[in-house]
């Protein structure tokens, strides 16, 4: 069977897991019965537990679904402590359903798979040794990849039923009131973890900072929490930030950022009250810098900035160039600190951010989204999941979600080293071309022919040559040649859901 | 059948409505499957509706359960507008399930009952003409009275399934992000309404103040809201406050307040980090004033103040005598304004406040609660619902909930006019004597014999004579004589739930 982006899907798995193939980016108006957790009633006086091993014994049983958040990113000290205790307790057959997996968790996940502790995984992404391990067939069952908004949808539908959520926090009181804003290992918004706190049957907080009761502001509430575990350290503050806190000096990245800005400024969306999501990384920071200048020059203010937030974005808030920052995660210390200080930086959960089965999510109101890509094809389909060698090394993140913006810009170099970014067909379709409007490279831009309004608006912008996507692909091919076709086995190692829960693509095991 | 407070319950209704009789104030550790709403999926772009009549037509059908909040109290302009439209649309057989009913709603409710529009009611209370109407048999089905915490429990269990919630707010954006803190008719915390916003299948906001998107802080979120109706005025700011914003000058009330303070100060709970709920009304304000002085004199600070909040309580927050104010509703403008300005005044929903089937509610952590009474009997049972003439004229409010405090004080005059407050048997048991510790009158106090520790602690406080409850009852009887026994018909007009959903008492129609 093929879906509407022409991907052959594994019929056996589709049937076994009761999946439909991707059809359309339109969500429509279904009526959805949401689900709710079981509550173990207590007065809350006995929540504090000293040992991770004890709380694991009290909560985790064979066959359960357990979850974590990834707000600590590579500074996470929580995941490995909990998984160590779970493996040591001899628990088997778990489904691991974190908001995402970061590199620091890889070795432990592989050990847990080998021990039979983890037999299923759903995640936003995976990279490094774990991606390699899965792509070589290390996990018997296919990984299910979901965007942040889709994870929220799946939790609210009951597609993901979390039995126990283990959530690290930089502060909590003895009943579990907690936030991400104060303590040693602050990360700001708890956006992804708020889903787990609301929907998991059992919620375990881990903290290195037990504060006086009642703790406020309470992003996670005592009514959601079963146990509070005091640990030595929940995270390494220096590794929580995404790293890129300085503007890039790479001339190619600067050129792309400048062009992204030119596209925005010359689009019909650049007007008072517009909204945007820029994302993280050095290039995104550069876009924010150019955009700031353009806003000053044109006396234009934004109504909100969305998504993963960086300090340059909260600086715009301080400066009055942005009215509100809607914050599902923070990528650096500056952004995290700002949430504490500024009431106009609103913490939002992943459902509010991007659940498509909602009464309106933030992404539905988004004017401009700037997104990255590992590959883009001539149908504008985007791959952010597998490398050009076919190995899993990415994450959907909010990619499919933010791509619903009125103006979705893919910012990517035409080639990376000896590899083309713009290709005849992407290795894995993650975000369908229907939701992509403009591709920006260092050589020029390509506009999705669906958007003749943008073709018109952007055809005469000085310094911004417009190509067809085929022309850009051919230019790339001319520079780096045609690669050998990838060879895969027949075995499916991962399914990629579109944000509505249909299957947009699958990933096969690579040939050794 | 009789329950554990010796009340004869109507067997036919108990069976028909599948109720158990009240047994114990202990909640235990049940496992509860919570419920969740249906969601009508949309991008949220078409939520704004101009006419109340249109939104009623789009949402309300015969037989549904509809809800309102009572945060505007007697300044409410929302309830009557919506009910007018519902009656005029000819809709029948509705269950009315507001957080409570205030006097300004009475005429409209009676009209709706007479029209067959409303056939069932559950509320925290009712007063005036509506209480009279129901007590004289005006509603065919019995009213179900529930405390604020029990309403939260009932909603989270699915005992109350709200089809449409109509929630007035002093500000909202076009997608429904709203709070109670800014605008003309501010009331501060949206605590009770947050339950409706989270659990109703359809949520309609009414506002006179449509603000720029996205509106923050969002106590109610766009993900919860289906429609936003712009109306001329949601409330009369001058009637939202409870009225009593000055300290009483009544010597009897001052004497009682002073004695309440003496009881608190000489109890084992008056120490650094203690917590309290004082409630509203002139006497409560006086208690807060005395308590403030005692805290200053003894260099004692409270960890939190809870419940319905007044300006004297937020003044303690400003002064540093209270660390946190946990705020489910505000009784005056000062308290409402303070929530906007002070991050240590945390808005809490009714579940967090007091749902007994929870992972710990605020009331479970409460040291001292000061509550009022219409009647107290020699078993320490308290009536806050029916008058000495047997007519419904009260509200449970948070009475049963806050009575779970470690030290629950009933503050009441021994007699009111020609009526005894302390009686052999209360007309209606609302809060069981098991959860009452001390009764304070202008003549002295009575301590529940269950609390020998308090008998010991409070036996030698200068100026605080200790009586048995029987002695206080006899003293009252001596002053005002023995009333004629009340005469009721056999017809049950109301059932009083205890906070766990069992029936603690019923109310019969009065004889004309």
């Amino acid at each position: 069977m093929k879906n509407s982006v022409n991907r052959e899907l594994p019929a056996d798995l589709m049937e076994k897991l009761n999946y439909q193939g991707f059809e359309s980016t339109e969500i429509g108006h279904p009526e959805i019965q949401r689900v709710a957790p079981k509550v173990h009633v207590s007065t809350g006086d006995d929540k504090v537990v000293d040992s991770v091993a004890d709380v694991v014994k009290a909560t985790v049983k064979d066959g359960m679904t357990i979850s974590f958040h990834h707000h600590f990113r590579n500074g996470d000290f929580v995941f490995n402590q909990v998984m160590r205790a779970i493996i040591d307790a001899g628990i088997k057959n778990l489904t691991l359903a974190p908001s995402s997996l970061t590199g620091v968790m890889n070795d432990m996940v592989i050990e847990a798979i080998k021990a039979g502790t983890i037999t299923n995984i759903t995640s936003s992404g995976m990279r490094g040794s774990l991606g390699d391990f899965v792509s070589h067939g290390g996990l018997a069952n296919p990984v299910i990849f979901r965007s942040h908004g889709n994870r929220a949808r799946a939790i609210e539908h009951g597609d993901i039923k979390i039995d126990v959520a283990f959530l690290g926090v930089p502060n909590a009181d003895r009943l579990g009131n907690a936030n991400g804003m104060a303590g040693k290992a602050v990360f700001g918004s708890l956006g992804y973890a708020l889903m787990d706190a609301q929907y998991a049957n059992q919620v375990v907080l881990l903290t290195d900072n037990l504060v006086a009761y009642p703790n406020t502001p309470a992003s996670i509430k005592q009514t959601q929490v079963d146990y509070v575990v005091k640990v030595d350290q929940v995270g390494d503050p220096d590794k929580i930030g995404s790293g890129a806190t300085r503007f890039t000096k790479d001339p190619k990245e600067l050129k792309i950022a400048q062009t992204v800005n030119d596209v925005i400024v010359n689009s019909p969306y650049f007007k008072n009250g517009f909204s945007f999501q820029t994302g993280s990384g050095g290039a995104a920071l550069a876009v924010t810098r150019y955009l700031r200048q353009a806003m000053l020059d044109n006396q234009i203010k934004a109504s909100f900035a969305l998504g993963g937030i960086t300090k340059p974005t909260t600086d715009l808030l301080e400066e009055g160039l942005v009215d509100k920052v809607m914050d599902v995660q923070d990528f650096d210390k500056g952004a995290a600190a700002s949430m504490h200080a500024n009431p106009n930086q609103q913490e939002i959960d992943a459902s509010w951010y991007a659940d498509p089965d909602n009464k309106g999510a933030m992404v539905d109101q988004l004017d401009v989204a700037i997104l990255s890509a590992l590959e883009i094809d001539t149908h504008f389909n985007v791959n952010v999941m597998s490398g050009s060698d076919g190995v899993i090394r990415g994450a959907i993140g909010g990619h499919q979600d933010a791509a619903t913006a009125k103006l979705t810009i893919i910012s990517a170099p035409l080639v990376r080293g000896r590899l083309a970014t713009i290709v005849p067909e992407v290795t894995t379709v993650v975000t369908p071309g229907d939701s992509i409007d403009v591709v920006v490279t260092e050589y020029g831009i390509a506009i999705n022919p669906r958007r003749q309004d943008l073709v018109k608006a952007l055809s005469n912008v000085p310094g911004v040559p417009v190509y067809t996507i085929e022309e850009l692909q051919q230019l790339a091919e001319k520079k780096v040649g045609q690669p050998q076709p990838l060879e895969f086995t027949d075995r499916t190692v991962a399914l990629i859901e579109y944000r509505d829960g249909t299957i947009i693509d699958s990933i096969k095991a690579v040939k050794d």
Side-chain angles (χ1 to χ4, degrees), chain A residues 437-463:
Chain A
D437 300 305
V438 181
V439 173
V440 174
T441 72
E442 69 276 31
Y443 290 93
I445 70 171
I447 301 166
N448 192 324
R450 288 173 59 252
R451 296 299 303 272
Q452 287 301 314
D453 59 326
L454 292 176
V455 171
K456 202 167 164 187
L458 299 171
S459 281
N460 295 299
V461 179

Side-chain angles (χ1 to χ4, degrees), chain A residues 169-173 176-180 190 205 215 217-222:
Chain A
V169 282
N171 63 76
D173 65 32
N177 297 298
N179 64 61
L190 267 158
L205 297 190
N215 185 25
S219 303
I220 293 176
K221 296 163 184 57
Q222 66 183 68

Side-chain angles (χ1 to χ4, degrees), chain A residues 317-387:
Chain A
L317 183 67
E318 292 288 333
E319 215 174 336
L321 289 173
V322 166
D323 288 336
K324 305 284 164 105
V325 169
M326 307 303 274
D327 188 346
V328 72
Q329 72 172 316
D330 295 288
F331 283 124
D332 56 47
K333 280 184 203 174
S338 163
M339 198 173 80
H340 207 3
N342 200 324
N344 290 322
Q345 188 170 345
Q346 167 92 41
E347 184 175 45
I348 61 173
D349 64 34
S351 175
W352 187 359
Y353 171 53
D355 178 0
D357 282 352
N358 223 332
K359 300 177 179 180
M362 289 306 305
V363 292
D364 295 324
Q365 300 301 317
L366 191 59
D367 288 324
V368 180
I370 298 114
L371 300 169
S372 62
L374 293 172
E375 295 174 332
I376 311 121
D377 70 21
T378 50
H379 305 284
F380 288 87
N381 295 321
V382 178
N383 170 23
V384 288
M385 185 53 74
S386 55

Side-chain angles (χ1 to χ4, degrees), chain A residues 155-211:
Chain A
I155 290 172
E156 297 192 308
H157 276 234
D159 298 344
I160 300 176
K161 291 178 113 157
I162 302 168
D163 293 293
V164 194
F166 294 95
L167 306 176
V169 282
N171 63 76
D173 65 32
R174 63 188 168 78
L175 269 86
N177 297 298
N179 64 61
M181 293 179 269
K184 273 177 289 182
V186 299
F187 47 74
S189 175
L190 267 158
Y192 303 132
L194 296 181
M195 302 309 300
D196 308 60
Q198 189 181 341
Y199 285 91
N201 282 338
Q202 297 180 86
V203 175
V204 178
L205 297 190
L206 296 96
T207 190
D208 51 14
N209 183 22
L210 209 53
V211 301

